[in-house]
Amino acid sequence: MKSLIIITLSSLLLLASCDTIQAYSSPNVSVDAFVDSLNYIDGTIGTEVELYDTFRDEDEGLDNWFVIWDDFYGEHKAVSLQYIRSIIYYDYVRNTDSLAAEFRAIEADDINAGEFNGDFFGDDYEVVDYFEFDDVFVGRNSGWEYEDEDQTSDVNLMAAKIAQKKFLSLASAVSFEFKVSISTAMGLVTLGDKMETMKSKGDLSSEDQLALSADLQKLTGVSLDDLANNSKEVVLAKAAKNLGTSAVNLEQKLLPELFGIEL
């Protein structure tokens, strides 16, 4: 399932071109590509990544943060990868340079409003200070610490954070690609992973099929009785309504591309 999603998103990126200005985001931009574009639009060469995949605190692990040396402003800065992937910018095609330019425009607006160290609470990005003795960066607005995940001694916590980030990143990609809410996308990803796990053990048993049917009913509102006693159009309409999408999108895009199901 995951490979299908990646292939689909890559194909869309290659085909995304038009002759009119549109709203875009870059849901798959990498940290390195973003930083390279910052250097390009700023006319600098010294902005560089200090830390990849950092976390802020044991209770704050939902965003994948990275820390850069910002050569343009001459300061260290922590940035949420989820945040830059959500930024909307306008151009003829999806591209990282326009994303970086929009980030700088948002930053300039914050500075003009008196927020010199990032957004007010440091929820999206913030200036950080490096404390050499503790080998840690500390946010000026949030007070959170940013440290290298490779240096943490809590292996179980580290593994849980990585798994959580991968899950949320995949759910975000599904939400964007298939035009469903993030909560629906999380349910779809969970169901897809469950199906993959069951199939990896061989043919699905009757117990497996009943479990999947129950999960599908919770997610789509469609029961086995619905499948047995209603037309395909009625079932698709009911499922689409519960998933928050259209029957056409469900039949022609979500089912075949996400689950490999052709109706």
Side-chain angles (χ1 to χ4, degrees):
M1 181 191 71
K2 296 176 183 176
S3 59
L4 285 172
I5 294 171
I6 294 170
I7 292 171
T8 301
L9 289 173
S10 299
S11 300
L12 283 177
L13 288 173
L14 290 172
L15 294 173
S17 62
C18 59
D19 57 1
T20 57
I21 293 178
Q22 298 186 46
Y24 290 99
S25 64
S26 296
N28 298 292
V29 66
S30 68
V31 172
D32 287 329
F34 174 71
V35 171
D36 286 345
S37 285
L38 283 180
N39 274 316
Y40 176 74
I41 67 166
D42 292 338
T44 58
I45 59 173
T47 295
E48 58 186 9
V49 183
E50 295 282 349
L51 291 177
Y52 295 92
D53 296 327
T54 69
F55 64 90
R56 300 207 299 184
D57 183 83
E58 186 171 334
D59 297 323
E60 281 275 318
L62 297 182
D63 278 6
N64 187 349
W65 290 79
F66 58 97
V67 175
I68 64 173
W69 167 254
D70 189 339
D71 198 41
F72 186 74
Y73 284 107
E75 58 196 10
H76 285 104
K77 193 165 290 170
V79 185
S80 162
L81 182 58
Q82 276 72 11
Y83 169 63
I84 64 169
R85 286 177 170 177
S86 70
I87 290 175
I88 302 298
Y89 56 90
Y90 294 85
D91 208 329
Y92 293 100
V93 295
R94 180 177 287 114
N95 69 95
T96 311
D97 291 345
S98 291
L99 166 63
E102 184 63 25
F103 173 81
R104 285 303 195 204
I106 294 170
E107 193 173 24
D109 287 343
D110 287 340
I111 291 172
N112 289 334
E115 301 298 331
F116 298 101
N117 294 316
D119 61 279
F120 187 76
F121 293 107
D123 291 333
D124 299 324
Y125 76 98
E126 65 175 333
V127 177
V128 295
D129 296 307
Y130 179 63
F131 293 85
E132 185 174 3
F133 180 78
D134 296 314
D135 191 24
V136 67
F137 294 91
V138 178
R140 291 185 185 175
N141 281 354
S142 71
W144 293 117
E145 295 182 354
Y146 300 83
E147 57 185 316
D148 192 339
E149 285 187 341
D150 291 337
Q151 296 177 2
T152 182
S153 59
D154 190 335
V155 176
N156 291 329
L157 175 61
M158 175 66 183
K161 286 179 178 291
I162 291 174
Q164 182 185 49
K165 287 177 181 177
K166 287 182 178 179
F167 174 80
L168 290 173
S169 294
L170 183 58
S172 296
V174 170
S175 175
F176 177 83
E177 169 62 19
F178 297 103
K179 305 297 185 294
V180 293
S181 69
I182 188 63
S183 60
T184 295
M186 292 169 72
L188 291 169
V189 171
T190 300
L191 180 59
D193 282 341
K194 190 172 185 177
M195 290 176 65
E196 282 189 341
T197 300
M198 288 180 174
K199 288 180 179 179
S200 68
K201 298 176 182 178
D203 294 334
L204 294 179
S205 66
S206 57
E207 290 81 6
D208 290 338
Q209 294 179 38
L210 285 173
L212 288 175
S213 296
D215 289 338
L216 278 169
Q217 183 171 352
K218 290 178 183 177
L219 191 61
T220 66
V222 174
S223 66
L224 291 176
D225 287 340
D226 291 325
L227 293 172
N229 300 314
N230 292 290
S231 66
K232 180 182 76 173
E233 289 73 21
V234 171
V235 171
L236 282 173
K238 184 174 182 179
K241 182 179 180 180
N242 281 281
L243 290 171
T245 187
S246 68
V248 172
N249 185 49
L250 178 60
E251 180 180 11
Q252 297 183 4
K253 194 170 181 63
L254 196 154
L255 287 178
E257 293 183 20
L258 193 58
F259 293 101
I261 298 174
E262 297 283 353
L263 296 180

